[in-house]
Amino acid sequence: MSTYAVTRWTGRIRPRLLLGSQAANPKPGIRRSQPPRAAALPLQRQSFSALPARQSSNTQNPQTGGPQAQKSSRKRGMWRQWVLFNIVGVSAAVITAFTLKSARSSKDSERSAVINKTSFSPFTITSKEQISPTAFVLSVRPGAKTDDGSSSNSSAECPSLREAWAHGLWSVEIKQPQLQIARHYTPLPPPVSAPADSRSENAELRFLIREVDGGEMSTYLGKQRVGDCVWMRGPHLGFDVSRRLGAARHVVFLAGGTGIAPALQVTRKLLDDGSTAEGGSESGGEGEREKPTVSILWANRLSADALGRQPQQHRTPVTAKNRFSGWWWSSNVPSSPVETASTARSAKETPETSLAQQIHALRQAHPDRFSITYFIDEERTFIQPANIRAALSPTPTSPSSTKAPAPAKAPAPTTSQTPQNPQPLLLPPAASCPWHSQPALEQLPDDRDAGRRASDCACVQGTVPTASAFPAAGSNLVLVSGPDGFVAALAGPRRWFGGAEMQGRVGGMLGRVLGERGKMGERDGVGWLVLKL
């Protein structure tokens, strides 16, 4: 009987039976079952390290090295990230510092200029001319007065003023230091007869001031004397009249009182500037633009304020019965020009003021393109619908007449293509055009056209030139300036929305006249754009 022997247990080696071995001390009489004989296998000893389950990671990745190499590699990666992070941080700090320094230097240079839009700058009063019992012209130069009598910064360059004169229509703010309030005033253009150096951006600024009872700014400015200092901020650019006019040829200005100042600014820009057509690319034409005609209807309360009139144009003063008639309402009594000996003698004896000389110079320089008509409450002459119709329908006669037409009968509508200034073929304004559309203009939040220069004219999009002529974009302009009551009576009130003063719908006397022209089909192939200043 064969016996079994058990090998010693070594780790994971299963027990094996050795051939020829015998079980130790089996009890007699008991037979053990014999398992099937297996094939003999050679006995081999294997170490734990030789088994696949016990293989070290070092043998799997022999190139990476040991734990020390991995730790060193991790340290090198963290060091690179730290260096990169510091480089980016230092670069960002340098760029930020440079940007802040540039912004601070630009702000300092702006404040050191003659005048800027962020802070008030000193100007010295050089002259004060009383041109009527209620109005005076204030002339100032940049800089405060020094001990030697000169003005500091008087010779400093100011590109902003040069840009403002090139733009055409602009204003500045004058501060009342006691009440800490400011009001916008429109500078008068330099006289035509002034020397060339006085028309530069460093020349005197002239303002037409009317003293009003209870007016904070007019009372303050009326008390200032030559040599005193006033504080100004600006310039603030208004409507771009040249671009809105485009290829059109007629401008009508309804001015009340000191509203003559922006009217003279527009006249200087359109007649004396000699600029080329702003809409050259829009109209397809090149070269210098044909100068338009400018017609001013100027309303004043007193005859002494109607500067620049000829002596024969003085009328009979109003009596106490109707002295309270004004710009916004008037009596139906007809006005007839009656010259009296006292008015003619007083007109001859009164020396001509600088504003009157400026108006005479414009009339002489542009006899066929500039006209001014006077309306005086004191003489019972008021702007009537017939006067507006006549201004919107220029006749072939010379426009330089200054006699107010009688409002008894409206003139027959005539074509605007006068021999002196033929009107080119104009495109109808597109509803979405920000330059020539009245509905789009009424929705604008302000009059700062300088910020809208990048906007294109929508009137020329999709148009095809005809065989006879190329239509041009543009609109004839009607500008209304003066006290709020005057503007509201003639063109309707402005509209406040979202804290901004918008143009609002065209109403008043001008709205009725334009509505009549539209119904009667008397548009003469051109459109009129109304701007409230």
Side-chain angles (χ1 to χ4, degrees):
M1 182 176 62
S2 62
T3 59
Y4 295 88
V6 180
T7 59
R8 184 181 180 182
W9 180 267
T10 56
R12 291 164 60 184
I13 304 300
R14 296 179 60 184
R16 300 175 183 272
L17 293 176
L18 301 178
L19 294 178
S21 62
Q22 186 175 2
N25 304 322
K27 291 183 179 182
I30 299 177
R31 296 180 61 90
R32 295 182 179 272
S33 60
Q34 297 180 359
R37 189 179 296 272
L41 296 176
L43 183 61
Q44 298 180 357
R45 287 185 175 270
Q46 295 179 343
S47 63
F48 286 99
S49 61
L51 298 177
R54 296 296 183 179
Q55 286 182 347
S56 174
S57 60
N58 295 337
T59 60
Q60 295 177 3
N61 301 307
Q63 291 137 352
T64 57
Q68 286 296 110
Q70 293 183 359
K71 188 175 181 180
S72 176
S73 177
R74 284 196 298 269
K75 286 184 177 180
R76 284 195 298 269
M78 294 176 61
W79 181 80
R80 292 195 186 101
Q81 294 178 0
W82 182 83
V83 171
L84 181 62
F85 176 79
N86 281 272
I87 291 176
V88 173
V90 171
S91 302
V94 171
I95 294 175
T96 303
F98 179 77
T99 304
L100 293 177
K101 183 178 180 180
S102 302
R104 189 180 297 107
S105 61
S106 62
K107 188 174 182 180
D108 294 341
S109 62
E110 180 183 359
R111 290 191 175 185
S112 63
V114 172
I115 188 171
N116 63 85
K117 299 178 182 178
T118 57
S119 61
F120 287 91
S121 303
F123 280 72
T124 301
I125 300 177
T126 57
S127 67
K128 187 177 180 181
E129 179 188 10
Q130 194 76 29
I131 59 175
S132 76
T134 60
F136 59 91
V137 174
L138 192 70
S139 301
V140 298
R141 275 193 173 274
K145 189 174 181 180
T146 57
D147 296 337
D148 58 356
S150 61
S151 298
S152 61
N153 289 337
S154 59
S155 59
E157 295 185 0
C158 187
S160 59
L161 288 182
R162 179 170 49 199
E163 179 186 0
W165 284 121
H167 181 79
L169 193 60
W170 60 286
S171 64
V172 298
E173 292 178 87
I174 302 181
K175 183 177 67 172
Q176 212 279 30
Q178 285 80 19
L179 300 178
Q180 290 297 311
I181 60 175
R183 295 288 186 271
H184 283 262
Y185 285 88
T186 302
L188 290 168
V192 178
S193 58
D197 57 348
S198 65
R199 301 187 188 184
S200 64
E201 65 274 14
N202 303 324
E204 289 184 342
L205 297 180
R206 302 163 60 241
F207 301 93
L208 177 60
I209 311 295
R210 187 177 303 280
E211 299 184 46
V212 180
D213 294 338
E216 294 88 355
M217 284 301 306
S218 61
T219 303
Y220 164 74
L221 295 176
K223 294 179 180 179
Q224 303 303 306
R225 298 292 180 261
V226 175
D228 292 345
C229 183
V230 293
W231 296 83
M232 299 184 184
R233 179 172 64 184
H236 303 289
L237 307 184
F239 286 116
D240 192 342
V241 178
S242 297
R243 185 163 185 180
R244 292 190 176 274
L245 182 65
R249 300 286 175 80
H250 301 292
V251 176
V252 176
F253 219 111
L254 309 179
T258 56
I260 189 64
L264 295 179
Q265 271 194 354
V266 171
T267 303
R268 175 190 181 274
K269 171 62 179 178
L270 298 179
L271 299 183
D272 291 337
D273 194 27
S275 60
T276 57
E278 293 284 345
S281 59
E282 298 174 0
S283 60
E286 296 180 355
E288 185 174 352
R289 179 184 60 192
E290 182 73 17
K291 292 183 178 180
T293 59
V294 180
S295 300
I296 301 176
L297 279 64
W298 188 16
N300 286 282
R301 295 187 181 274
L302 304 177
S303 58
D305 295 326
L307 302 174
R309 286 197 303 175
Q310 303 297 334
Q312 65 270 16
Q313 293 174 324
H314 287 263
R315 300 173 183 267
T316 305
V318 70
T319 61
K321 183 179 178 180
N322 48 34
R323 70 176 60 178
F324 296 105
S325 298
W327 292 323
W328 43 90
W329 69 280
S330 61
S331 173
N332 293 327
V333 179
S335 58
S336 57
V338 179
E339 180 186 1
T340 62
S342 59
T343 56
R345 183 171 57 256
S346 61
K348 292 180 181 179
E349 294 174 356
T350 303
E352 196 173 43
T353 62
S354 60
L355 184 57
Q357 293 176 1
Q358 189 168 6
I359 294 175
H360 290 327
L362 286 172
R363 191 183 292 118
Q364 294 175 2
H366 312 283
D368 297 331
R369 302 188 182 278
F370 174 77
S371 68
I372 181 168
T373 307
Y374 296 85
F375 300 87
I376 313 299
D377 290 1
E378 189 182 41
E379 300 172 359
R380 300 177 63 191
T381 58
F382 311 98
I383 298 178
Q384 302 286 352
N387 308 126
I388 297 179
R389 294 191 193 100
L392 300 183
S393 303
T395 61
T397 58
S398 173
S400 60
S401 174
T402 57
K403 179 179 178 180
K409 183 179 180 181
T414 58
T415 177
S416 62
Q417 298 185 4
T418 62
Q420 293 90 349
N421 200 14
Q423 178 72 55
L425 181 63
L426 296 179
L427 291 168
S432 61
C433 181
W435 300 103
H436 307 120
S437 172
Q438 189 69 46
L441 174 66
E442 295 172 0
Q443 301 300 322
L444 293 180
D446 50 54
D447 61 348
R448 291 176 288 206
D449 279 350
R452 291 183 281 267
R453 289 174 180 171
S455 302
D456 297 329
C457 175
C459 302
V460 298
Q461 296 178 3
T463 58
V464 179
T466 61
S468 58
F470 189 90
S475 294
N476 293 330
L477 301 181
V478 181
L479 298 96
V480 187
S481 66
D484 292 338
F486 177 83
V487 175
L490 291 182
R494 298 182 182 92
R495 176 187 172 214
W496 283 93
F497 181 78
E501 191 175 25
M502 306 174 67
Q503 288 285 293
R505 296 180 61 86
V506 178
M509 190 183 303
L510 187 58
R512 293 191 296 271
V513 171
L514 291 177
E516 294 172 0
R517 289 171 59 86
K519 293 178 181 178
M520 299 171 60
E522 298 169 0
R523 302 188 64 84
D524 304 328
V526 297
W528 290 89
L529 191 66
V530 180
L531 305 177
K532 304 175 188 179
L533 307 182

